[in-house]
Amino acid sequence: MNSKAELSGRTIVLAVTGGVAAYKSAELARLLIKEGARVRVVMTEAAAHFIGAATFQAITGEPVWSDLWDARMPNGMAHIDLTRDAQLLLIAPATADCIAKLVQGRADDLLSTLCLARDATCALMVAPAMNRQMWEHPATARNMNTLRGDGAIVVGPAAGEQACGEVGLGRMVEPAELLDAVLAHFTPKTMAGRRVLITAGPTAEAIDPVRVVTNLSSGRMGYALACAAARAGAEVTLISGPTGLAKPFGVERVDVSSALSMHEAVLSRYAACDVFIAVAAVADYRPAAPSERKIKKSADKLSIDMVRNPDILADVAARADAPFCVGFAAESHDLDTYAQGKRAAKKLPLVVGNLVADGLGGEDNAVVLYDAEGRHPLVRAPKPVIARAILEHISRLLKD
Ligand SMILES: Cc1cc2nc3c(=O)[nH]c(=O)nc-3n(C[C@H](O)[C@H](O)[C@H](O)COP(=O)(O)O)c2cc1C
């Protein structure tokens, strides 16, 4: 869920310490570079047992730093200069040993000295990775509390199968999720304190146990909005129809299939939300009587009786305790007329309109925002960029 170059102009020092997850940091470096960041890698001596400096040098196009006494920096002071033009020092993976050193304020190698010499303009983000017993040890728990208290942003660890074969808490958060955490760190918190409910994707209406009526919605627009809202500080619940998309980091996802199940999931949650964004392409009709058995290929023709599904957005928007409701209108023609009509009919403060040919199922979208002030076209862009612009518009309307 990323647009191009969100980190352009940022410098990130990626510190790699001696854990098995070090191999994943190469992918993390690649993702950060892809987002436009300048990445400078620092490795501990132990990290070099797990991954080679050449890998990071090739990925980042920068020399890799590991020796406190390295004289390549013109003033010989890599331990100070490396973070001076950086906005983030990200330690991933962070070993138990590295965390203990940070807490003690040790300065006996390049990374620990760098951490101590870091100034306030360079935030510290730490992604712990270790065996579950090491993570659960009271010493590590104590250290983590102190580290958080010292202002470090801690991401993870995740639970699951570990390199040692044990199962538990201690895995490094996956590179794509760490990238999300980095992007969230740099996103202004315009939606802080807001609870946002979003529906996304298509619905699937059963014909029989193996067949459904569905549509071409990919879910990307709704997921991009959920991701952008979470990064902007909102508490986000995403009610998703069937899509192949990964759950955005920091978002609670509720999986549903049919329009009726999406309706039920929304009704049980909308009252706890400040904003409801109905992005899902909900089927207008469903088979009236889905067959309990697979329909056999015997007749020449098959007719399926369809009945109307509930209009989830209209239902919520009409309620006395309705949150700020945003509708999406995907039309094949006459966008202005239909989108404005939808806004008026459902009494919505905001409708996001797009032509089906412009956005449905694709990576990009071109939309028009319709509110009480009129129409506001947004130029064609990747869906994450469109999502950010829509959220900025919503947060402006919420303030008015
Ligand atoms: C095969 C192997 C795997 C290791 N994996 C981890 C690990 O995942 N997390 C951790 O905290 N320590 C791990 N260690 C121990 C660290 O490498 C050790 O504490 C080292 O001193 C860390 O140095 P550093 O923090 O300077 O990188 C591992 C050690 C070995 C031999």
Side-chain angles (χ1 to χ4, degrees), residues 195-396:
R195 289 160 306 170
V196 179
L197 182 66
I198 300 174
T199 62
T203 62
E205 310 299 323
I207 297 172
D208 69 11
V210 295
R211 301 181 179 96
V212 293
V213 178
T214 187
N215 59 63
L216 292 177
S217 164
S218 68
R220 285 196 192 97
M221 193 66 241
Y223 275 60
L225 272 161
C227 184
R231 283 184 198 159
E235 203 181 294
V236 183
T237 303
L238 175 65
I239 298 178
S240 175
T243 74
L245 302 175
K247 182 181 89 64
F249 189 63
V251 166
E252 187 208 351
R253 187 175 71 183
V254 179
D255 290 321
V256 296
S257 174
S258 65
L260 287 181
S261 58
M262 186 174 277
H263 186 227
E264 196 184 315
V266 168
L267 287 193
S268 63
R269 288 172 180 81
Y270 83 89
C273 291
D274 309 302
V275 180
F276 173 45
I277 313 178
V279 195
V282 182
D284 291 330
Y285 296 89
R286 67 178 183 279
S291 167
E292 275 178 22
R293 294 181 168 200
K294 187 179 167 199
I295 298 171
K296 298 312 259 179
K297 191 174 44 177
S298 44
D300 282 345
K301 275 177 126 186
L302 175 69
S303 302
I304 300 171
D305 236 6
M306 307 282 276
V307 291
R308 276 287 288 271
N309 270 325
D311 186 327
I312 301 174
L313 176 60
D315 189 349
V316 172
R319 294 180 181 232
D321 59 348
F324 182 95
C325 287
V326 181
F328 268 67
E331 305 294 347
S332 56
H333 58 284
D334 293 335
L335 181 61
D336 278 353
T337 313
Y338 286 119
Q340 300 273 29
K342 182 169 184 168
R343 199 180 92 77
K346 297 187 186 177
K347 298 194 175 60
L348 304 172
L350 180 65
V351 164
V352 181
N354 70 285
L355 286 168
V356 171
D358 275 340
L360 200 76
E363 302 274 352
D364 294 355
N365 208 351
V367 305
V368 182
L369 309 186
Y370 301 89
D371 62 17
E373 304 285 308
R375 65 192 296 283
H376 314 270
L378 300 180
V379 291
R380 181 169 200 81
K383 286 179 177 172
V385 176
I386 297 286
R388 281 205 300 276
I390 294 171
L391 277 175
E392 276 163 26
H393 200 86
I394 292 173
S395 84
R396 269 199 303 277

Side-chain angles (χ1 to χ4, degrees), residues 16-21 44-47 50 94-98 101 109 129-131 134:
V16 184
T17 66
V20 184
T44 61
E45 214 181 301
F50 296 89
T95 56
D97 173 63
C98 156
K101 281 167 79 170
D109 64 5
M130 65 197 73
N131 163 271
M134 292 170 83

Side-chain angles (χ1 to χ4, degrees), residues 8-67:
S8 114
R10 309 274 189 198
T11 298
I12 295 171
V13 174
L14 172 62
V16 184
T17 66
V20 184
Y23 77 94
K24 294 186 181 175
S25 302
E27 171 68 358
L28 176 58
R30 194 186 68 79
L31 294 175
L32 293 168
I33 296 273
K34 218 174 131 202
E35 287 300 335
R38 177 188 187 197
V39 178
R40 308 183 87 180
V41 173
V42 172
M43 293 172 68
T44 61
E45 214 181 301
H49 287 276
F50 296 89
I51 187 164
T55 302
F56 289 111
Q57 188 159 346
I59 290 172
T60 64
E62 298 260 355
V64 172
W65 303 83
S66 44
D67 181 4

